[in-house]
Amino acid sequence: MNAPFQPAAQPNAQTLTTGQVLQQLSSMLQTLGPVTGTETLPLLDALDRILAQDVLCPVNVPPHDNSAMDGYAFDGALLARPPCAQELQLRVVGTALAGRPWQGRLQAGDCIKIMTGAVMPEGLDTVVPHEQVRIVDDEHIRFAAARLQAGDNRRLCGEDLRQGAVALARGQRLTPAALGLLASLGLVQVNVRRRLRVAYFSTGDEILAPGASPREGAIYDSNRFSLQGLLRRMGAHVLDLGVVADEPAALEERLREASALADVILTSGGISAGEADHTRAMLQRLGPVQFWRIAMRPGRPLAVGLLQPRTPALLTEKNASSALPAGAGSSAKQSKSLVTSHPAVLLGLPGNPVAAMVSFLMFVRPALLQLMGSSEAAPVPLQVAAAEPLAKRPGRTEYQRGIVERGADGRATVRTTGPQGSGVLSSMVSANAIIVLDDAQADVQPGEMVSVLLLDGLI
């Protein structure tokens, strides 16, 4: 990460649109820059990591002309000669297998039997599929010449990738297909950006750890698991810092610890709105922090800031683990080379479970991808017909949990999962999509087209 940034000035009283939030976050993080550390990994260990630099193709792919299917290879020029308007008869003089090129000599009217992927012998440029061939005898075949053109069913050398071209660009996420492509170049390892370190803790006196005895007015901490699950799916190195009570001194100490350990601090609960004056004052001591109000549902508050880390000399790697709370997860305690010297980005989410998850998907996810150095594009909404009336008040963006399904007529439609309260976490379990109703949208009638984001790939 590069030099510190100062968040753009934003009056706390102003309500932002979702588009303004994304724009301001992106501008702030662009000044900060992505993580700069890299590591070189074997291909199978690099799945879902972010490529640190362009990969140039060291060879042509494929490295030679080869057959695209099983059949018979011949000189395509024969197709233009009479009596090729009828059937063409060729003499079979050999066989080429994948990995075992045919080395013989050819005469006019000869062909060879060839398997998919086998090298095309010099002088042969066309393959007739075996299912189009009629066997005349042990040495001859016939086929309808009119069904083919010269060059059919041949893969050209370098058709996929040319030597020296960019095979994969910096910032690309290494999917299974990308790993396969790297392997096709003969590479055994790849340089990737280090994992983004994200410290997470929940806040609130009412929060109970799963397994604790119930008490009146308390709730179990679902956010710690749903949000950390989202972070892990993104490939972040998650530092689990447990739960912090609504006590300014404890909160300040945890934030100072987290800012020395992580690139990003993610929280859920009252910190998102700076609910108390002493909370706001404490946060401002740690660095510039803003409390945004967003015209959206579910969700509304979002805390965004930059916290200066504790002096590295005061928090060494040896005592960083011992400084973590007893309730912190093992991922935090076992982490190596944790101590950082750069500012940490603070992202404070609302405490209601659905609001926290939706805010993560809409704002935190793109912010983290930017900090990871990822070039991954924003998901493209699909247009789907509403299967039922959708109540919507203009003036805010709503993210309703939906189920996309195919009707008897084959058309895709979307309906809500049911009650849409920000605490109804079961709606996120049932949903396979988020229905996005923008600021200007009013009530939706059945059959009207709405935007949906499919959750597959997002969570």
Side-chain angles (χ1 to χ4, degrees):
M1 289 186 168
N2 300 321
F5 68 84
Q6 292 291 329
Q10 181 65 48
N12 287 336
Q14 182 177 352
T15 297
L16 304 177
T17 66
T18 55
Q20 288 173 324
V21 170
L22 287 170
Q23 183 179 24
Q24 291 199 27
L25 270 176
S26 179
S27 296
M28 292 160 56
L29 299 178
Q30 187 174 9
T31 305
L32 185 63
V35 295
T36 56
T38 64
E39 57 182 323
T40 300
L41 297 176
L43 292 188
L44 289 178
D45 293 337
L47 179 65
D48 283 333
R49 299 295 294 271
I50 305 300
L51 196 59
Q53 60 192 41
D54 291 351
V55 175
L56 301 182
C57 194
V59 295
N60 287 316
V61 180
H64 43 67
D65 288 5
N66 67 90
S67 177
M69 58 180 58
D70 294 347
Y72 295 83
F74 65 98
D75 181 0
L78 295 174
L79 295 172
R81 300 174 186 172
C84 292
Q86 306 300 318
E87 281 194 331
L88 180 64
Q89 178 166 308
L90 300 175
R91 182 169 67 109
V92 182
V93 296
T95 299
L97 303 175
R100 294 171 59 185
W102 185 75
Q103 304 291 350
R105 297 175 62 86
L106 293 163
Q107 297 180 4
D110 287 349
C111 70
I112 64 166
K113 189 174 184 179
I114 195 166
M115 302 298 125
T116 301
V119 174
M120 295 282 286
E122 185 177 354
L124 306 187
D125 61 4
T126 307
V127 175
V128 56
H130 70 83
E131 60 267 21
Q132 295 182 19
V133 167
R134 179 167 59 89
I135 305 297
V136 177
D137 54 37
D138 291 344
E139 294 186 354
H140 296 88
I141 61 169
R142 295 180 68 88
F143 58 90
R147 300 179 65 178
L148 293 172
Q149 293 183 348
D152 278 358
N153 307 314
R154 173 186 58 164
R155 300 187 186 119
L156 297 174
C157 174
E159 180 178 278
D160 187 4
L161 293 168
R162 299 297 299 181
Q163 186 175 11
V166 175
L168 292 175
R170 178 181 62 182
Q172 183 160 345
R173 182 178 293 275
L174 294 176
T175 62
L179 293 183
L181 187 146
L182 292 174
S184 77
L185 304 180
L187 301 178
V188 297
Q189 58 187 21
V190 63
N191 191 238
V192 298
R193 291 189 186 271
R194 71 163 173 84
R195 292 186 186 275
L196 190 72
R197 292 193 289 264
V198 183
Y200 173 82
F201 61 86
S202 304
T203 63
D205 293 334
E206 78 282 12
I207 301 298
L208 286 178
S213 299
R215 59 179 170 83
E216 186 177 3
I219 58 173
Y220 287 111
D221 187 5
S222 61
N223 287 347
R224 182 179 172 191
F225 295 87
S226 58
L227 295 177
Q228 287 194 43
L230 290 171
L231 289 169
R232 292 175 190 276
R233 279 282 177 90
M234 290 188 67
H237 179 172
V238 181
L239 309 177
D240 179 6
L241 303 188
V243 180
V244 182
D246 288 327
E247 202 284 309
L251 182 58
E252 179 174 358
E253 180 62 19
R254 190 65 53 85
L255 286 169
R256 288 190 183 278
E257 292 167 353
S259 66
L261 300 173
D263 305 302
V264 177
I265 304 168
L266 182 66
T267 73
S268 65
I271 195 174
S272 64
E275 291 174 342
D277 290 340
H278 56 72
T279 299
R280 288 176 177 253
M282 177 272 295
L283 288 170
Q284 295 298 338
R285 289 197 300 272
L286 301 179
V289 178
Q290 298 176 24
F291 303 93
W292 290 347
R293 292 190 302 175
I294 309 171
M296 65 180 289
R297 179 185 181 192
R300 181 174 173 85
L302 181 69
V304 178
L306 193 72
L307 306 187
Q308 297 297 330
R310 179 179 295 183
T311 304
L314 299 179
L315 186 64
T316 64
E317 181 177 350
K318 180 177 180 180
N319 63 31
S321 180
S322 62
L324 296 173
S330 59
S331 63
K333 293 182 178 181
Q334 295 174 2
S335 183
K336 303 298 183 184
S337 303
L338 288 175
V339 179
T340 66
S341 59
H342 57 71
V345 177
L346 171 67
L347 297 170
L349 302 179
N352 282 321
V354 178
M357 288 193 73
V358 169
S359 296
F360 182 101
L361 294 174
M362 298 304 120
F363 308 124
V364 176
R365 186 176 187 275
L368 297 186
L369 288 173
Q370 188 172 343
L371 289 171
M372 290 174 175
S374 171
S375 59
E376 184 174 330
V380 178
L382 304 179
Q383 294 296 306
V384 179
E388 61 186 8
L390 302 175
K392 167 65 168 63
R393 188 181 75 186
R396 68 185 182 193
T397 301
E398 292 193 10
Y399 301 96
Q400 301 188 12
R401 280 72 70 206
I403 299 174
V404 176
E405 51 197 359
R406 191 175 301 278
D409 60 357
R411 294 180 61 219
T413 61
V414 64
R415 59 182 174 86
T416 67
T417 56
Q420 294 291 298
S422 61
V424 185
L425 189 54
S426 59
S427 67
M428 289 297 294
V429 177
S430 303
N432 64 9
I434 296 291
I435 306 169
V436 183
L437 305 176
D438 65 24
D439 296 38
Q441 179 75 57
D443 291 344
V444 176
Q445 301 305 315
E448 289 187 40
M449 304 301 287
V450 294
S451 294
V452 301
L453 287 173
L454 297 180
L455 290 177
D456 186 24
L458 290 180
I459 64 175

